[in-house]
């Protein structure tokens, strides 16, 4: 579904896609001020995230549509591959990898930036889903009741199987609109946590677990092309993987790091106990020297400060 302006055809899907990016970016600007983060770092990390998201979304599309991709390759029709769809989860995973890569390349701790992106992402995603509803993609099963809407689709000639015209089709469960509603609620919750409970830094975890659980559920009501194999859809398997990964990461942070600290302390104690008197005296002298150095530096710093004040 599209409209024409100044002689140019503008698809609603693209319009809402870029609108989502713009609105999310605008909100992110206000969020970084709350935690006094760098706008420079936000901008360049976002570039890494977008590039990673585009590559990830396209790669996952190629994997889940491998038969179509092979057909296009055999026909030498590479343009159709590039024009083909993008898969949301591929974009999400690729974007997260892009942020991680940015942190590694520039040796930055990305926790606060993850929090910002996780907070604004549901807002941009919600607007994108409105575009999906207007484009006639990601639709639900045929259904004529509460939260059902007609679907924009192409009508085919039964003889040639070519699209004759586009128009409104049968009523279906409005999955994109339903998902947009859930995402807006999630965005409101994450905003509350960001401003009221900043010390917890739970937004990334809340987003990942909540959206993965929601996506697993709503997949049962999708009515578009084949959703996957092996009992569940591709998105449902990825949702399970995300939940397991996040839970595993939380358990590691809670128990794995504590265990590592305890082991390091135990090793230090054993080394001290097994050290010879000479080593012990040397260690004590080293500690005293370090303390004396720190004291001298502190005094020098104080003198410098007084001089500046004068």
């Amino acid at each position: 579904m599209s409209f024409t302006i100044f002689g140019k055809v503008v698809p609603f899907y693209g319009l809402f896609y870029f609108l989502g990016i713009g609105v999310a970016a605008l909100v992110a600007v206000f969020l970084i001020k709350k935690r006094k983060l760098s706008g420079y770092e936000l901008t360049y990390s976002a570039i890494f995230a977008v590039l990673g998201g585009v590559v990830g979304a396209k790669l996952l599309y190629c994997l889940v549509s491998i038969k179509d991709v092979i057909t296009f390759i055999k026909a030498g029709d590479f343009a159709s591959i590039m024009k083909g769809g993008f898969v949301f989860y591929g974009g999400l995973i690729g974007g997260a990898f892009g942020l991680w890569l940015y942190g590694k390349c520039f040796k930055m701790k990305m926790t606060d930036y993850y929090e910002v992106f996780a907070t604004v992402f549901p807002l941009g995603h919600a607007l994108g889903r409105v575009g999906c509803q207007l484009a006639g993609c990601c639709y639900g099963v045929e259904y004529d009741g509460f939260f059902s809407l007609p679907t924009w689709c192409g009508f085919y000639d039964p003889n040639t199987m070519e699209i004759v015209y586009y128009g409104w089709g049968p009523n279906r469960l409005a999955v994109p609109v339903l998902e947009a509603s859930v995402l807006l609620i999630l965005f409101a919750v994450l905003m509350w946590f960001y401003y009221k409970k900043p010390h917890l830094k739970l937004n990334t975890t809340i987003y990942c677990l909540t959206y993965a659980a929601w996506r697993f559920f709503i997949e049962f009501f999708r009515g578009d092309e084949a959703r996957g194999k092996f009992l569940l859809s591709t998105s449902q398997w990825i949702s399970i993987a995300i939940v397991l990964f996040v839970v595993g990461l939380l358990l590691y942070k809670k128990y794995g790091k504590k265990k590592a600290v305890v082991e390091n302390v135990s090793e230090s104690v054993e080394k001290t106990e097994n050290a010879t008197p000479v080593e012990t005296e040397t260690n004590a002298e080293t500690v005293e020297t370090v303390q004396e150095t720190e004291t001298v530096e502190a005094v020098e710093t104080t003198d410098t400060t007084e001089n500046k004040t004068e």
Side-chain angles (χ1 to χ4, degrees):
M1 190 176 181
S2 60
F3 65 96
T4 304
I5 182 171
F6 301 120
K8 299 290 184 179
V9 177
V10 180
F12 276 107
Y13 179 82
L15 175 64
F16 277 90
Y17 176 82
F18 286 106
L19 182 62
I21 293 176
V23 173
L26 184 62
V27 175
V29 170
F30 289 98
L31 294 186
I32 62 173
K33 291 181 179 179
K34 171 66 177 178
R35 296 188 183 178
K36 298 179 180 179
L37 301 177
S38 169
Y40 173 90
E41 300 295 353
L42 179 73
T43 301
Y44 281 93
S45 63
I47 292 173
F48 271 66
V50 170
L51 291 176
V54 171
V55 173
K58 179 57 69 175
L59 285 177
L60 189 55
Y61 162 75
C62 291
L63 286 175
V64 299
S65 308
I66 189 65
K67 291 182 179 179
D68 293 334
V69 172
I70 292 174
T71 301
F72 291 140
I73 292 175
K74 288 181 177 179
D77 187 7
F78 295 99
S80 294
I81 298 176
M82 298 308 297
K83 291 179 181 178
F86 292 85
V87 179
F88 168 77
Y89 259 147
L92 178 63
I93 295 170
F97 175 78
L99 287 177
W100 174 84
L101 183 62
Y102 182 83
K104 286 295 180 182
C105 288
F106 298 98
K107 298 179 180 179
M108 283 184 57
K109 189 175 182 181
M110 298 297 293
T111 304
D112 285 323
Y113 293 94
Y114 282 133
E115 291 289 287
V116 172
F117 282 101
T119 302
V120 302
F121 195 75
L123 176 60
H125 191 188
L127 291 172
R129 281 306 190 205
V130 174
C132 289
Q133 180 67 39
L134 296 174
C137 63
C138 307
Y139 51 81
V141 295
E142 287 197 27
Y143 164 73
D144 192 8
F146 181 69
F147 242 108
S148 67
L149 289 171
T151 307
W152 184 261
C153 59
F155 291 86
Y156 293 82
D157 184 330
N159 297 320
T160 61
M161 292 307 295
E162 294 182 355
I163 297 178
V164 180
Y165 67 96
Y166 288 92
W168 294 108
N171 281 3
R172 293 178 178 273
L173 180 65
V175 168
V177 177
L178 188 59
E179 185 163 340
S181 303
V182 172
L183 287 167
L184 288 175
I185 294 172
L186 178 57
F187 168 69
V189 172
L190 293 174
M191 284 291 284
W192 184 86
F193 269 94
Y194 191 90
Y195 278 95
K196 299 297 183 181
K197 304 289 182 180
H199 60 287
L200 296 178
K201 295 185 179 181
L202 287 175
N203 285 31
T204 305
T205 301
I206 293 172
Y207 169 74
C208 289
L209 294 179
T210 302
Y211 184 76
W214 159 257
R215 186 61 182 267
F216 183 89
F217 167 75
I218 199 62
E219 280 289 308
F220 288 113
F221 302 96
R222 289 282 288 267
D224 45 348
E225 297 175 358
R227 310 303 305 151
K229 297 180 181 180
F230 309 110
L231 301 177
L232 300 174
S233 72
T234 302
S235 293
Q236 286 175 317
W237 285 115
I238 295 176
S239 296
I240 293 173
I242 288 175
V243 171
L244 292 176
F245 175 79
V246 173
V247 172
L249 194 61
L250 291 174
L251 291 175
Y252 170 74
K253 286 183 176 180
K254 185 174 183 180
Y255 298 107
K257 288 187 176 181
K258 286 184 179 179
K259 184 178 179 181
V261 171
V262 171
E263 289 176 351
N264 290 334
V265 171
S266 299
E267 289 178 1
S268 300
V269 171
E270 289 178 1
K271 288 180 180 179
T272 304
E273 291 177 348
N274 295 331
T276 62
V278 175
E279 291 175 336
T280 304
E281 290 176 3
T282 302
N283 291 336
E285 291 174 358
T286 302
V287 171
E288 290 177 0
T289 302
V290 171
Q291 290 176 344
E292 290 175 359
T293 303
E294 291 177 347
T295 303
V296 171
E297 290 177 350
V299 171
E300 291 176 350
T301 303
T302 303
D303 293 340
T304 303
T305 304
E306 291 176 353
N307 292 333
K308 287 182 178 180
T309 305
E310 294 173 356

